[in-house]
Amino acid sequence: MKRRTLIHSAFAGAAMSALALPAWAQDKWPSKPITYVVPFPAGGTTDILGRLIGQKLGAVLGTTIVIDNKGGAGGGVGSEVASRAPADGYTLLGGTVSSHAINVSLYPKLGYDPIKSFSPVVLIGSNPVVLVVGANSPYKTLQDVLAAAKAKPKTISSASAGSGTSQHLSLELLGFKSGTQFIHVPYKGSGPAIQDVIGGQVDMMFDTTVVAGPHIQSGKVRALAVTSAKRLESMPNVPTVAESGVPGFEVTSWQAIFVPTGTPKPIIDRLHDEILKIIAQPDIQERLKNLGMQPSTMTTEQVAAFQKAEVEKWAQVIKAANVKLE
């Protein structure tokens, strides 16, 4: 009888240890550096935000956040890499409207599913896109650009961070709604793209206020129009595209953080809570405001619903405008 009791106790202890193991493992997370995959080259919006948040997140979690830039295919290359990473809380992905809403309707063989392959952690925020030209450009207004494009179709070049990005889709939508044609010049990220606009190798570019803002302030590029429904507080003298003769035009870019599907919910919840606290810090709020970005406070469930709606929205736009990859 005593032997049975001892055996029973041993099994009970083993069972309790097994049940406690996941909690213990989560308590130990993170026990090594976390990789933050940025699916664009350095210098773009996703990279800037990844480094800004990553530095503070690493300090809070007591580990190092390693930024890993893997550009290409409008964020598709890096997103595919992140989708194949272990779902253990050690891989984050800086997802965007391009990689997680637009690409799925543009690329016939996407190496990941923007919804099924990932779980959303947090929506960092959204921001409009601004059309800029080099400081020495002859174009002073969007009307100047449209007049030139109508006079000589496919002669004005426009850079983007890659095919399928919000910069690319903004151009396609402008051409569709205004009845004009442009030359799309895709790059592997905003950083090198806007440098060629500054240098005069490319005529213009739609880019987020995060990337274009500093160059506008320094006078290296000139802002012609913003893609928001209303003018921006940070750029009150820059008209909207709709005001500039293209009614109904509106494009908003957004930035979010995802993890591979299957990542433990306690880890996702902690990441969500810690990142929202970081975004709420006064210095980060001020930085985001100066970059023209509207911070978000969505729950993970709300981000998932928002993303699904964005996928459906851009699928309709791409079909209506008959957007094709070069």
Side-chain angles (χ1 to χ4, degrees):
M1 185 69 176
K2 184 176 181 180
R3 182 171 178 273
R4 288 180 180 176
T5 302
L6 287 172
I7 293 174
H8 176 76
S9 298
F11 275 111
M16 289 300 290
S17 297
L19 290 173
L21 185 58
W24 176 86
Q26 289 159 19
D27 288 342
K28 293 294 184 180
W29 178 90
S31 59
K32 63 181 181 179
I34 295 173
T35 298
Y36 190 128
V37 178
V38 173
F40 298 96
T45 304
T46 311
D47 180 69
I48 292 172
L49 293 174
R51 294 176 190 278
L52 186 65
I53 292 173
Q55 184 177 17
K56 287 182 174 284
L57 182 61
V60 170
L61 297 179
T63 189
T64 301
I65 306 296
V66 180
I67 302 298
D68 186 10
N69 296 88
K70 292 187 179 298
V77 173
S79 295
E80 181 175 355
V81 170
S83 72
R84 301 180 187 284
D88 55 6
Y90 289 98
T91 300
L92 307 180
L93 172 71
T96 70
V97 62
S98 306
S99 64
H100 282 67
I102 295 173
N103 282 359
V104 69
S105 294
L106 278 181
Y107 290 86
K109 293 183 179 180
L110 201 61
Y112 62 96
D113 186 299
I115 294 178
K116 294 180 181 179
S117 300
F118 298 94
S119 293
V121 174
V122 66
L123 181 69
I124 300 172
S126 59
N127 64 307
V129 177
V130 58
L131 176 63
V132 298
V133 294
N136 298 320
S137 171
Y139 307 119
K140 307 298 182 183
T141 66
L142 176 56
Q143 291 94 326
D144 292 341
V145 171
L146 295 179
K150 288 179 180 178
K152 294 184 178 181
K154 292 188 176 182
T155 58
I156 296 178
S157 58
S158 185
S160 80
S163 296
T165 59
S166 58
Q167 297 97 321
H168 175 204
L169 267 293
S170 294
L171 177 69
E172 295 289 354
L173 194 59
L174 177 65
F176 173 66
K177 284 188 170 291
S178 64
T180 54
Q181 294 178 305
F182 301 93
I183 299 173
H184 174 226
V185 185
Y187 287 74
K188 289 187 177 181
S190 288
I194 201 164
Q195 287 303 320
D196 276 3
V197 174
I198 293 172
Q201 287 84 4
V202 185
D203 293 315
M204 66 182 197
M205 178 181 184
F206 280 99
D207 209 342
T208 64
T209 52
V210 175
V211 173
H215 297 299
I216 294 172
Q217 293 170 4
S218 69
K220 292 180 179 179
V221 298
R222 183 188 309 124
L224 302 187
V226 293
T227 65
S228 50
K230 298 180 180 179
R231 295 193 183 197
L232 303 181
E233 289 184 16
S234 58
M235 301 179 190
N237 296 322
V238 180
T240 66
V241 173
E243 284 181 279
S244 302
V246 190
F249 187 103
E250 183 179 359
V251 174
T252 300
S253 181
W254 50 264
Q255 299 280 334
I257 296 176
F258 296 85
V259 291
T261 295
T263 299
K265 191 174 186 304
I267 291 178
I268 293 176
D269 290 342
R270 186 178 177 195
L271 284 168
H272 174 268
D273 293 345
E274 297 294 358
I275 294 172
L276 280 190
K277 289 177 185 176
I278 290 171
I279 293 174
Q281 293 176 11
D283 61 324
I284 298 297
Q285 287 280 312
E286 185 65 21
R287 182 74 185 277
L288 293 179
K289 181 180 179 181
N290 290 338
L291 292 172
M293 175 165 277
Q294 179 63 47
S296 171
T297 57
M298 287 186 186
T299 64
T300 53
E301 291 77 16
Q302 289 172 329
V303 178
F306 169 77
Q307 183 197 3
K308 184 178 179 181
E310 282 286 283
V311 169
E312 295 172 353
K313 166 192 168 182
W314 283 108
Q316 294 174 356
V317 170
I318 290 168
K319 182 178 180 180
N322 193 31
V323 178
K324 302 291 184 182
L325 294 180
E326 288 83 354

